[in-house]
Amino acid sequence: MNVSPSPSAASGGRAPTIGVEEEFFLVDPRTRLIVPAGPRVAARAAGAVGDLVTKEFALCQVEGRTPPCGSARELRQELERVRGALVTAAREEGVRLCASGTAVLQGPGPAEVADHPRYRAGTLQYRSMLDDFAISALHVHVHLPDRELAVLTGNHLRPWLPLLIALSANSPYHRGCDTGYASWRAVIRSRFPCLGPPPHAASWQEHERLAVLIADTEAMLDAGMPFWDLRPNPRLPTLEIRAMDVLQDLDDTVAVAVLLRALVVTAAAAAEGGDPGPAWEGEVLRAACWRAARDGWSGDGFDARTGLMRPLHQLAGELVDFVRPALEDFGDLEEVTALFRRLTERGDGATRQRAAATGGSGTAAVVDGLVSATAGSYGGQG
C-alpha cells in the first residue's frame, strides 16, 4: 500500500461529505431488558427530526442518521440533534436509548422482528441464524460517486477492517453473559457467509459478478444490496464502512467518521494512481477480524502491510501517519489523535462495560452506564 503524495486529489482538494448511521437498543429502565418500542420511539422522534430516524430490523431498536456533513463540527451538531431527539422520544415512551453492539440483557426467545417484506425474506432464507441477530452498528458513509473508484478504494481499506473492529469494540455481553469477546456483534455477523470483508475485486464489474455468484447460492439475499463490511452503497453515492459497533460517546463517533474520510481519500488517490491495493485473502482477513473481535483494543492487531500481528497502539500511530496529510487538509488531526488518547487512557467500549459491571451491580450497572453515556448532555438516564 503506497502513500500518495497528494491524498486529497481524489476529492478535488475538498473534503468529501460524510454521513453517519447509528443503531440503538431500547431498554426498560427498571428491568434493563430490551423492549419492542422501536416503532413508537421512531414515530415520536420523527416529529423533531423527520426521516433522520427510523425503526430497525428488530422492534427493540431504532436508527438515527445524519444528512451529509462537510466538517467534524457539522457532523457533531447533527449527531447531537438526532441523538437528542431519540433520547427524548425514548424517555417520553417510558424507555431508554442504549448504545451497545449487542443487547446486554434480553428476555427468553428471539427479539421480535418488524413486519417488512425484506425481513420476512431474510427469516425464510437464514432461519434460526437470525434468532439473535439484534445487533447495533455504526455505519459511516464517505461521498465517492464513482463506483469503479469506490471498489478499488475498498481494496485498500479491506486490511484495516480488523483495526476498525478493535477500536470500536463495544459488545462484550450477550443475554446477561460475558462472552469473553470485546465485540460479540462482530462474531454474530461472522456466522453469515455474506458478511465480513468484501472480496478483493479488480473492477466494479468483477465486484458485481462476485455478488451475483454469491446471491445465486442464497448466501446473500440480494446481489444488488450486499452487506459486506465495505461497499459502494446501493442507493447513495458513497463508500460505506459497516464494520464498527455503535459507540457510546458522540465524540468517538465523530472521530471515527473523520478518520475514515481521511482513509478513503488517501486510498482513493492511491487507487487513481494505479495501486490496486493489497490482495489479502479473505480467509486471512476473516481470521484477523475474529482476533480483533475477541481482544478489542487490548490485543494485537493485523498489520495491513505485512500481515504480522503487532500492538494496536503502534498500528494506530502508523494509520494516523498514513492519512495525516488528509487529516491536516480537512482540519481533523486533533479529533483523531484525541480518539486514540482516549482509547489508551480508558480502553474500548468493552473495557468500559466490564468496568461498570465490576464496580456496580453487575449487568444492571452496565446498562445504566451505557444509557447515561448514550444520552450524553441530553439529561442522562433520567
Side-chain angles (χ1 to χ4, degrees):
M1 184 183 298
N2 298 323
V3 177
S4 166
S6 181
S8 60
S11 60
R14 300 181 302 276
T17 55
I18 45 179
V20 162
E21 300 170 10
E22 295 184 296
E23 297 164 351
F24 302 99
F25 287 104
L26 295 164
V27 299
D28 184 301
R30 182 180 61 84
T31 67
R32 281 79 166 190
L33 297 173
I34 55 172
V35 289
R40 291 187 286 115
V41 171
R44 184 180 287 271
V49 293
D51 64 0
L52 296 181
V53 295
T54 183
K55 59 186 179 181
E56 257 294 324
F57 169 75
L59 296 180
C60 60
Q61 294 174 281
V62 287
E63 177 183 285
R65 54 197 179 210
T66 72
C69 298
S71 67
R73 179 179 180 181
E74 182 184 359
L75 180 64
R76 181 176 283 104
Q77 290 172 340
E78 291 295 336
L79 284 167
E80 288 175 346
R81 184 165 72 100
V82 175
R83 271 205 190 192
L86 285 170
V87 166
T88 299
R91 187 179 295 115
E92 290 173 351
E93 291 291 336
V95 297
R96 300 294 183 266
L97 200 69
C98 180
S100 178
T102 49
V104 178
L105 292 171
Q106 181 176 344
E112 295 181 56
V113 177
D115 185 19
H116 184 280
R118 184 171 183 82
Y119 300 158
R120 291 197 298 271
T123 301
L124 180 65
Q125 192 153 317
Y126 295 115
R127 305 171 192 182
S128 287
M129 288 181 73
L130 289 180
D131 285 353
D132 61 352
F133 197 66
I135 54 177
S136 292
L138 164 66
H139 297 168
V140 175
H141 294 257
V142 181
H143 184 255
L144 196 60
D146 183 328
R147 290 191 175 281
E148 186 80 15
L149 181 58
V151 167
L152 299 177
T153 300
N155 289 342
H156 289 264
L157 266 65
R158 290 171 74 244
W160 293 106
L161 289 172
L163 176 61
L164 297 176
I165 291 171
L167 70 85
S168 68
N170 186 37
S171 52
Y173 292 96
H174 185 238
R175 293 181 177 268
C177 297
D178 188 333
T179 64
Y181 282 72
S183 176
W184 191 245
R185 170 190 164 272
V187 174
I188 291 174
R189 280 179 54 82
S190 71
R191 300 172 187 171
F192 289 78
C194 61
L195 303 183
H200 189 282
S203 65
W204 167 247
Q205 183 178 12
E206 183 180 0
H207 181 276
E208 284 192 305
R209 180 183 67 83
L210 293 168
V212 168
L213 287 172
I214 295 171
D216 283 348
T217 71
E218 297 191 359
M220 183 184 292
L221 196 61
D222 181 354
M225 189 174 288
F227 286 96
W228 289 316
D229 285 349
L230 289 165
R231 66 177 185 181
N233 184 272
R235 299 192 181 99
L236 302 172
T238 66
L239 181 61
E240 182 183 3
I241 302 96
R242 306 162 51 83
M244 297 80 66
D245 286 359
V246 66
L247 296 168
Q248 299 176 35
D249 294 345
L250 187 145
D251 285 343
D252 293 349
T253 301
V254 172
V256 169
V258 297
L259 171 64
L260 287 172
R261 173 169 63 182
L263 182 55
V264 167
V265 168
T266 304
E272 286 187 315
D275 184 346
W280 288 110
E281 296 84 352
E283 294 86 352
V284 172
L285 289 183
R286 288 181 75 92
C289 288
W290 169 83
R291 173 71 178 269
R294 189 191 71 180
D295 297 346
W297 189 251
S298 65
D300 289 346
F302 180 78
D303 188 323
R305 285 151 292 194
T306 67
L308 300 176
M309 299 300 294
R310 298 176 49 216
L312 276 167
H313 67 88
Q314 294 181 9
L315 297 178
E318 291 170 13
L319 174 58
V320 171
D321 289 341
F322 177 55
V323 301
R324 183 181 297 272
L327 291 173
E328 291 178 341
D329 282 352
F330 305 149
D332 295 330
L333 181 60
E334 177 53 31
E335 289 279 358
V336 172
T337 54
L339 167 68
F340 289 122
R341 282 199 301 270
R342 290 193 294 271
L343 283 166
T344 299
E345 292 167 359
R346 72 186 186 194
D348 55 27
T351 300
R352 295 168 65 191
Q353 287 196 37
R354 288 181 172 125
T358 302
S361 53
T363 48
V366 174
V367 176
D368 290 345
L370 287 165
V371 166
S372 180
T374 306
S377 60
Y378 312 114
Q381 62 190 74

